[in-house]
Amino acid sequence: MTKGGAVKSAERTLAILELLTRHEEPMSFTAIAQALRYPRSSLHGLLRTVVERGWADFDPEQRSYTLGIRTLEAGNAYTRALGLVERALPLMERIRDTIDETVQLAVLDGLHNVYVAKVDGRQTLTLASEVGRRLPAHATGVGKVLLAGLGRDELEARLGPTTLAGFTPHTLTDKERLRAHLRTVSGRGFAVDNEEYTLGIRCVAVPVQDWSRHTVAALSVSVPAIRFTPAHREKAHRLLLDAAHRLSTALGYRSGPGGRSGVVPVG
């Protein structure tokens, strides 16, 4: 292939990935061809290559394409390179200084959330979390936000035959109820932990998204149940939304058409 041909192929390959990034729903070959107006023979070859290399996935039943696992790996590497924790800590400290409650940052690992940063308030509060600790994602606010950010197939692959452990009477241990709850979390843009891992502790959590609109982390404020009034929760929620928007923007997130941002939901 000539140098000019190689450049054209690279440009067309990147255009395919950018198109799939902009569309949250799977796209058929016809939809991609109509959007990009490439010769069908060339498009077939390009799509076959990106699927083989893991940058796109092809569903043979639906005959549709979506982003592949390599895009998530690249996004995670980009996030690590930017220093997620270093960027988050000043924002977390600002929340703590305003509301005097404990603020946490977590990422997803399988079906567990891993705490990567924590800023303690002065209030007496006994939490199971600490930096580096893993907790079952279905039983925490940050974990439910992270699970809600997965695609349906990815969520099902992770859930598999796993039995969801119960920690308090409030823990969601039924998978169907958890799936329905995660759809609610995804739709409204935040999760609430109602004493689901530790009795007496509640929290509100919001997603942090990167340039590709993937949820890469979650921020939360944890509060003793006795202080978790609607007004206190709303204040914590507003502070978290602002911090998550700032952090997501630093990671390359951009608002969609009309200026609405997925990390600043109406809630």
Side-chain angles (χ1 to χ4, degrees), residues 18-229:
E18 290 170 355
L19 178 65
L20 293 176
T21 298
R22 292 194 301 270
H23 285 72
E24 296 183 0
E25 299 297 325
M27 298 188 70
S28 67
F29 177 87
T30 300
I32 295 172
Q34 290 175 344
L36 297 179
R37 299 185 181 279
Y38 293 164
R40 297 177 73 89
S41 58
S42 298
L43 183 57
H44 272 297
L46 293 170
L47 285 170
R48 182 171 60 251
T49 298
V50 294
V51 169
E52 289 174 351
R53 298 295 293 270
W55 291 96
D57 284 335
F58 176 67
D59 184 336
E61 294 184 1
Q62 300 296 323
R63 308 294 297 177
S64 62
Y65 296 86
T66 57
L67 290 175
I69 189 63
R70 290 298 303 278
T71 60
L72 179 59
E73 293 171 352
N76 287 339
Y78 180 70
T79 298
R80 289 193 297 271
L82 288 176
L84 177 65
V85 173
E86 289 78 5
R87 291 176 180 270
L89 278 173
L91 299 169
M92 296 169 66
E93 290 169 351
R94 184 183 304 172
I95 296 174
R96 186 270 316 276
D97 293 344
T98 302
I99 202 170
D100 196 18
E101 301 289 2
T102 298
V103 188
Q104 299 161 110
L105 177 72
V107 297
L108 190 63
D109 181 15
L111 282 175
H112 290 77
N113 55 265
V114 181
Y115 294 95
V116 294
K118 180 182 177 185
V119 176
D120 290 311
R122 293 189 301 273
Q123 306 282 357
T124 301
L125 179 62
T126 302
L127 290 177
S129 66
E130 58 187 33
V131 174
R133 184 165 185 186
R134 293 158 48 92
L135 292 183
H138 71 281
T140 69
V142 288
K144 290 188 292 183
V145 163
L146 293 166
L147 291 176
L150 297 175
R152 182 182 60 185
D153 292 343
E154 178 65 18
L155 176 63
E156 292 305 316
R158 296 196 187 207
L159 284 176
T162 305
T163 298
L164 301 178
F167 301 95
T168 77
H170 309 294
T171 310
L172 289 171
T173 58
D174 179 81
K175 288 184 181 178
E176 282 304 316
R177 288 185 61 204
L178 177 64
R179 291 184 184 99
H181 182 72
L182 294 179
R183 288 193 292 270
T184 298
V185 170
S186 178
R188 70 187 183 186
F190 70 95
V192 176
D193 172 358
N194 286 312
E195 304 180 67
E196 293 163 53
Y197 188 80
T198 303
L199 289 174
I201 303 298
R202 296 187 178 185
C203 88
V204 58
V206 300
V208 175
Q209 297 176 327
D210 65 6
W211 62 274
S212 64
R213 301 196 176 195
H214 281 115
T215 296
V216 295
L219 277 169
S220 72
V221 167
S222 295
V223 183
I226 195 171
R227 289 204 304 273
F228 200 64
T229 63

